[in-house]
Amino acid sequence: MTKWGKRTEAVHSGVRRSQFGELSEAMFMTQAFSYDSAEAAEARFIESGHDEFIYARYGNPTNRMFEDRIAALEGTEDAFACASGMAAVNGALMALTQAGDHVVSSRALFGSCLYLLEDILGRFGVEITLVDGTDNAEWNDAIRPDTKLVFLEAISNPTLEVIDLDHVVKLAHANGALVVVDNAMPTPVFSYATKLGADLVVYSTTKHVDGQGRMLGGAICGSRDLIRGPIETYVKHTGGAINPFAAWTHLKALETLDLRVRAQADAAMKVAEALADHPKLSRMSYPQHPSHPQHAISMQQSPSGGTVLAVEVKGGKEACFRFLNALEIFIISNNFADAKSIATHPATTTHQRLPQEQKDILGISDGLVRLSIGLEDVEDLITDLMNGLDAV
Ligand SMILES: *Cc1c(COP(=O)(O)O)cnc(C)c1O
């Protein structure tokens, strides 16, 4: 969209300076805005320009700076900032569907996304077809001429399945369907969703954008017509807006996003190499390690495999818990994409409520551990993991 590179955009784009000329972006902690006259208020309500605000649920200067900056990084015309990743996913899906519509989605989804699709959209009469996202033939069979929307996680959490996005986008567009990508794993740094034609790219900015485990947030990125049309209309009236404090931390965090994510991804690749073929593991999954089932498509689509890997400890839950409890640096938590490395046992935490049959389909076994690589010395992380596996 501009002549500058992404790192430059991440530092400078979206800035709005007040009359004081502050160097660092200001945090506008205000709910509402005032007008010089009754006529000015009336005019603002008839039509507000890009930098004219009415109420913080609709928009706020700090939120707008964050929206413009994340849109510049994603390469879209615009973005709408939301209170959380789920507020963003909900906004994108609810704004674009109605009773009678058909939606196709990959099955390997974040739990709350699956709930939103199956339970909430289902309750309002939207028909959902779930497919194995890695199988192009299943997408071909599922998408119909009356399919309204396609939803997927570009790289799934926690199993790190990689979808052939070019295939799915072309197929969806040939049938007149919009494509919404939940892009938490690829991050805005390594995103390829907009480049490959996705109509909306949704972020849980809780993850890499914040990157230090502080603030919930989300963003929906896309064309101005979609963002300032159905998306803004839905989110502003249903209360999904981000608060300016969170938007401000995210705005400032975008300045260092590229450095942080690249360092974490480089470390993740080193961890993947160290853990591949480890005798205590039955599986090590990292998209850009040659052993990954979708390695070729991952290399083709993305410059990096990201900051997260998954391993399967041999010996089931007991062996796996011994590994987790022996870790000294990795923190046991259900979050990911933090400066602190995190180990998660999906089967008993994030995916505990899934029926066993669904866990089996998704590959969420009792031995599966998701490893989120932080900003520590990678040699220390590898030592910690090796010591943990020695304890099994
Ligand atoms: C975390 C996450 C979400 C939800 O984000 P919140 O900010 O926790 O609401 C949605 N999708 C994916 C893929 C996620 O990882």
Side-chain angles (χ1 to χ4, degrees):
M1 300 258 120
T2 78
K3 61 181 173 169
W4 305 117
K6 279 203 175 189
R7 279 211 202 169
T8 308
E9 292 292 350
V11 174
H12 290 285
S13 64
V15 170
R16 283 145 171 86
R17 292 205 164 85
S18 77
Q19 71 273 31
F20 301 113
E22 66 280 357
L23 178 60
S24 175
E25 295 78 353
M27 185 164 41
F28 289 90
M29 290 306 289
T30 184
Q31 299 165 342
F33 300 83
S34 62
Y35 315 95
D36 290 338
S37 65
E39 289 79 8
E42 182 185 30
R44 186 74 57 89
F45 272 75
I46 292 169
E47 185 167 6
S48 10
H50 192 60
D51 277 339
E52 293 177 342
F53 303 97
I54 288 176
Y55 190 56
R57 176 153 47 74
Y58 290 24
N60 167 292
T62 307
N63 298 5
R64 192 56 58 83
M65 286 193 262
F66 169 56
E67 290 169 344
D68 283 355
R69 190 167 289 181
I70 197 163
L73 290 184
E74 183 54 36
T76 54
E77 289 174 351
D78 216 329
F80 198 91
C82 299
S84 68
M86 283 320 301
V89 175
N90 179 63
L93 296 182
M94 293 293 275
L96 297 176
T97 54
Q98 62 183 39
D101 283 344
H102 179 237
V103 171
V104 180
S105 173
S106 56
R107 186 180 288 117
L109 291 181
F110 185 71
S112 301
C113 295
L114 199 60
Y115 171 75
L116 176 62
L117 280 165
E118 291 199 294
D119 290 68
I120 301 189
L121 288 181
R123 201 195 298 160
F124 289 103
V126 176
E127 185 192 347
I128 313 291
T129 305
L130 295 177
V131 298
D132 173 352
T134 65
D135 186 345
N136 285 350
E138 284 203 23
W139 287 105
N140 297 347
D141 289 344
I143 294 177
R144 317 188 301 228
D146 68 333
T147 302
K148 179 74 175 288
L149 188 144
V150 166
F151 182 71
L152 57 91
E153 270 179 54
I155 301 174
S156 71
N157 169 24
T159 46
L160 304 174
E161 291 178 4
V162 178
I163 288 174
D164 181 350
L165 194 57
D166 187 49
H167 178 84
V168 176
V169 168
K170 284 186 176 142
L171 180 70
H173 287 173
N175 284 276
L178 292 170
V179 178
V180 179
V181 174
D182 182 341
N183 219 29
M185 283 282 178
T187 84
V189 175
F190 301 127
S191 174
Y192 45 86
T194 294
K195 234 172 289 163
L196 292 183
D199 299 284
L200 289 177
V201 179
V202 174
Y203 286 103
S204 166
T205 53
T206 309
K207 308 290 162 52
H208 300 84
V209 171
D210 182 280
Q212 295 175 63
R214 300 164 297 196
M215 292 284 169
L216 291 178
I220 310 171
C221 304
S223 70
R224 184 145 298 137
D225 282 352
L226 281 176
I227 297 297
R228 298 296 155 194
I231 298 298
E232 180 186 289
T233 304
Y234 177 82
V235 180
K236 79 181 184 185
H237 289 305
T238 53
I242 197 167
N243 91 63
F245 185 26
W248 180 81
T249 60
H250 286 348
L251 178 69
K252 299 303 288 177
L254 286 178
E255 297 183 344
T256 57
L257 180 73
D258 190 277
L259 292 173
R260 289 185 282 109
V261 166
R262 280 182 202 280
Q264 288 168 271
D266 286 350
M269 186 68 194
K270 292 197 177 97
V271 171
E273 281 163 356
L275 294 182
D277 305 321
H278 192 288
K280 299 272 177 77
L281 298 176
S282 47
R283 182 151 73 102
M284 188 294 296
S285 187
Y286 184 68
Q288 297 210 340
H289 190 271
S291 60
H292 192 279
Q294 290 98 41
H295 177 247
I297 190 73
S298 175
M299 295 299 287
Q300 194 183 313
Q301 291 184 144
S302 175
S304 167
T307 68
V308 175
L309 49 153
V311 296
E312 190 175 53
V313 180
K314 288 180 185 168
K317 180 175 162 184
E318 202 187 317
C320 192
F321 275 23
R322 223 172 294 143
F323 164 66
L324 289 168
N325 292 333
L327 295 171
E328 289 181 52
I329 299 172
F330 280 81
I331 293 172
I332 298 172
S333 173
N334 44 290
N335 205 7
F336 72 95
D338 197 295
K340 296 174 172 62
S341 288
I342 290 170
T344 309
H345 189 248
T348 53
T349 61
T350 54
H351 292 70
Q352 187 187 133
R353 280 169 304 139
L354 272 191
Q356 189 57 42
E357 169 201 324
Q358 287 239 45
K359 285 184 190 164
D360 294 343
I361 292 173
L362 295 178
I364 299 169
S365 67
D366 283 344
L368 187 76
V369 176
R370 181 183 70 197
L371 297 171
S372 168
I373 305 303
L375 286 166
E376 303 93 338
D377 290 302
V378 64
E379 298 76 15
D380 292 343
L381 296 180
I382 291 170
T383 301
D384 195 33
L385 293 167
M386 292 299 169
N387 289 344
L389 289 170
D390 284 347
V392 174

